[in-house]
């Protein structure tokens, strides 16, 4: 049996061999991050690769969230986002071991999400490949993670059901377009209108 316990300074999404841990959004939720961070336990037994020579890839995407958001950040504005996890492995012979996040982990600015904040929204580049979610070799050029000692509070389990995405209520965009330059913005007093090069409609 394999159980992965995760938390972060900032909002995060966790993955095991490319599989997202949950459909719930905005983990680990809003708390006073000077005092408390919420942690979540994921049973990842069925996601583990157990064949000879196979490697398991544990990854997380972490953004500013309430920890260091420009408007509601509890941490210092220059604080870094951080991720913490413990993988507990229980074997058939009754023994167990725990593997924790440490300086051997790799970190980089990578992935499709190039920027994200609670009030300023998210910038998403779907052209970017995310090989690091499934292939351990993708970490070769990344830097070793730096230990974080900014958080002095307590890590506690979250008893709530969390925030879930409602795909049935999602609003699809009416159209998408490629633009370059703008008209009517002379003098710096007006925003003007962008010049559309191509328009796409559903």
């Amino acid at each position: 049996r394999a159980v992965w316990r995760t938390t972060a300074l900032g909002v995060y999404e966790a993955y095991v061999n490319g599989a997202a841990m949950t459909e719930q959004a905005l983990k680990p939720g809003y708390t006073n991050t000077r005092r408390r961070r919420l942690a979540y336990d994921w049973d990842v037994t069925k996601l583990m690769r157990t064949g000879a020579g196979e490697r398991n890839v544990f990854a997380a995407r972490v953004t500013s969230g309430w920890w260091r958001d420009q408007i509601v950040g509890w941490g210092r504005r220059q604080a870094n986002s951080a991720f913490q996890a413990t993988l507990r492995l229980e074997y058939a012979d009754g023994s167990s071991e725990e593997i924790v996040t440490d300086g051997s982990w790799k970190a980089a600015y990578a992935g499709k999400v190039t920027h994200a904040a609670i009030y300023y929204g998210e910038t998403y580049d779907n052209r970017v490949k995310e090989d690091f979610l499934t292939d351990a070799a993708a970490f070769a050029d990344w830097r070793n993670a730096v230990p974080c000692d900014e958080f002095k509070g307590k890590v506690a389990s979250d008893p709530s059901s969390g925030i879930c995405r409602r795909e049935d209520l999602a609003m699809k965009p009416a159209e998408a377009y490629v633009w370059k330059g703008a008209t009517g913005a002379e003098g710096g007093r007006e925003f003007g209108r962008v010049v559309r090069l191509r328009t796409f409609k559903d």
Side-chain angles (χ1 to χ4, degrees):
R1 184 169 182 254
V3 177
W4 200 28
R5 183 177 176 85
T6 62
T7 190
L9 297 178
V11 168
Y12 74 99
E13 293 178 341
Y15 301 84
V16 176
N17 295 324
M21 292 298 91
T22 178
E23 289 297 320
Q24 295 177 1
L26 301 177
K27 292 291 188 188
Y30 180 77
T31 59
N32 184 330
T33 52
R34 294 173 181 168
R35 299 182 179 181
R36 187 165 63 119
R37 285 278 78 187
L38 300 178
Y40 303 85
D41 293 332
W42 317 107
D43 188 331
V44 297
T45 308
K46 294 181 179 179
L47 298 176
M48 298 289 285
R49 300 168 180 165
T50 58
E54 290 188 299
R55 302 179 71 181
N56 290 286
V57 179
F58 292 79
R61 179 188 290 119
V62 188
T63 61
S64 58
W66 293 280
W67 169 244
R68 58 185 185 89
D69 185 87
Q70 290 180 312
I71 297 178
V72 293
W74 285 104
R76 300 185 308 245
R77 293 296 182 267
Q78 67 271 26
N80 294 310
S81 296
F83 178 74
Q84 182 186 70
T86 301
L87 175 64
R88 179 176 175 81
L89 300 173
E90 300 174 359
Y91 300 104
D93 63 3
S95 63
S96 64
E97 67 172 318
E98 290 188 347
I99 302 171
V100 300
T101 46
D102 56 21
S104 68
W105 272 60
K106 300 290 185 177
Y109 290 101
K112 297 179 184 293
V113 179
T114 59
H115 174 79
I118 296 297
Y119 286 96
Y120 288 103
E122 178 179 276
T123 303
Y124 187 89
D125 189 345
N126 201 43
R127 299 170 297 178
V128 177
K129 293 183 178 180
E130 294 188 322
D131 298 338
F132 62 89
L133 294 180
T134 56
D135 184 4
F139 299 108
D141 297 329
W142 291 24
R143 296 182 179 181
N144 286 339
V146 177
C148 173
D149 60 357
E150 297 174 19
F151 176 64
K152 306 298 183 182
K154 179 181 179 181
V155 176
S157 296
D158 182 13
S160 71
S161 58
I163 301 171
C164 294
R165 295 183 180 93
R166 288 289 304 272
E167 299 294 344
D168 59 317
L169 298 178
M171 296 179 64
K172 295 183 179 180
E175 63 179 14
Y177 52 86
V178 179
W179 65 275
K180 183 177 182 180
T183 60
E186 294 80 7
R189 293 174 177 251
E190 300 291 337
F191 289 110
R193 292 182 177 273
V194 297
V195 178
R196 299 190 183 195
L197 301 181
R198 294 191 304 275
T199 301
F200 309 89
K201 293 187 177 182
D202 188 6

